[in-house]
Amino acid sequence: MDSITDLACELSRRIPNNTSGINTYQNKVAGITIQNTIIKTNTAARLIGKPIGNYLNLDTTSHKQRNIVNALRQSLTSLLPATNIEKVLVIGLGNDKFIADSLGPSVLELIKTGEHFLTFEPSVFGVTGINSVDAIKAMTRLVHPDAVVVIDSLVSATPNRIGTNYQICTSGITPGSGIGRNNQTIDQKLLGVPVLAIGVPVCTIMTTANKQIYHVVPKDIELIIKDCAKNIAQSINTLVLRN
């Protein structure tokens, strides 16, 4: 079987350590190990299968919630521009009718909206009949945010990363890329403002030689989504924006 993953930290292990244009290193924030994968060139991006950008993977296994929130908040702060960020549009991708795909909408329910944070749930084409990327472009033009944060469920090749790893990146996100969909990427080029993507792996997908696909989701996925959504929302709600 071939494994599928959205995580740059897993993809980076599939290429030689000395590959030009890709740098990886680790540090700790609030006791949580963070792997930083930096993709610098188009050649490296094609090789690893991810766009140019900075990818932080937080391994929060066995850590307390306050440490997870602290590490997420500091990671978000480190990737946002240093100044002129007063209004952030938080977008929750996914479909709240399916638990494993409901991370984005679940986070939005907990965001404290107001002067600094706005939220938008584009849902999915099968529900609205509207392409989610088109809806996001229209909403961004309408509210003129200084930055956009997009939240979505991810796929991991490693079952023990489900619900315990968080990926934050500067390259945006391509809805459905982990399962082979060729959608447009939601990034700074598309929206005209800095875009950060936050994701948590919620399942593993295995494909066999004859192209059969198996989705493996934990039995306690509802609790996993609830806990991860709370952590992400609290990290956003406590961000100190800089003008």
Side-chain angles (χ1 to χ4, degrees), residues 185-203:
T185 299
I186 302 166
D187 58 10
Q188 183 167 357
K189 182 179 179 181
L190 180 73
L191 301 183
V193 296
V195 176
L196 296 186
I198 308 174
V200 179
V202 299
C203 71

Side-chain angles (χ1 to χ4, degrees), residues 168-211:
I168 307 175
C169 69
T170 60
S171 62
I173 193 166
T174 306
S177 61
I179 54 175
R181 294 176 184 165
N182 188 25
N183 291 326
Q184 195 171 10
T185 299
I186 302 166
D187 58 10
Q188 183 167 357
K189 182 179 179 181
L190 180 73
L191 301 183
V193 296
V195 176
L196 296 186
I198 308 174
V200 179
V202 299
C203 71
T204 56
I205 297 177
M206 307 298 291
T207 59
T208 64
N210 60 355
K211 305 303 181 180

Side-chain angles (χ1 to χ4, degrees), residues 64-169:
K64 295 180 179 179
Q65 184 191 22
R66 66 174 179 270
N67 291 346
I68 297 172
V69 172
N70 188 16
L72 284 169
R73 181 177 60 250
Q74 291 191 46
S75 297
L76 285 168
T77 300
S78 72
L79 296 180
L80 282 170
T83 58
N84 300 321
I85 301 295
E86 298 183 28
K87 182 165 62 175
V88 176
L89 176 61
V90 184
I91 297 170
L93 296 179
N95 185 353
D96 57 10
K97 293 180 173 57
F98 296 93
I99 294 299
D101 196 29
S102 66
L103 178 66
S106 297
V107 171
L108 297 194
E109 292 178 0
L110 303 173
I111 295 294
K112 297 178 181 178
T113 57
E115 179 182 0
H116 297 296
F117 296 107
L118 310 174
T119 63
F120 179 55
E121 180 185 342
S123 192
V124 293
F125 182 84
V127 173
T128 65
I130 301 170
N131 183 285
S132 60
V133 176
D134 291 336
I136 290 166
K137 286 193 293 184
M139 182 57 67
T140 303
R141 288 195 298 267
L142 177 66
V143 303
H144 302 290
D146 301 309
V148 171
V149 174
V150 187
I151 299 139
D152 198 10
S153 301
L154 302 180
V155 175
S156 173
T158 311
N160 63 14
R161 292 186 187 272
I162 293 176
T164 65
N165 280 222
Y166 297 74
Q167 178 172 272
I168 307 175
C169 69

Side-chain angles (χ1 to χ4, degrees), residues 8 33 194 202 215 239:
T33 299
V202 299
H215 295 70
L239 273 175

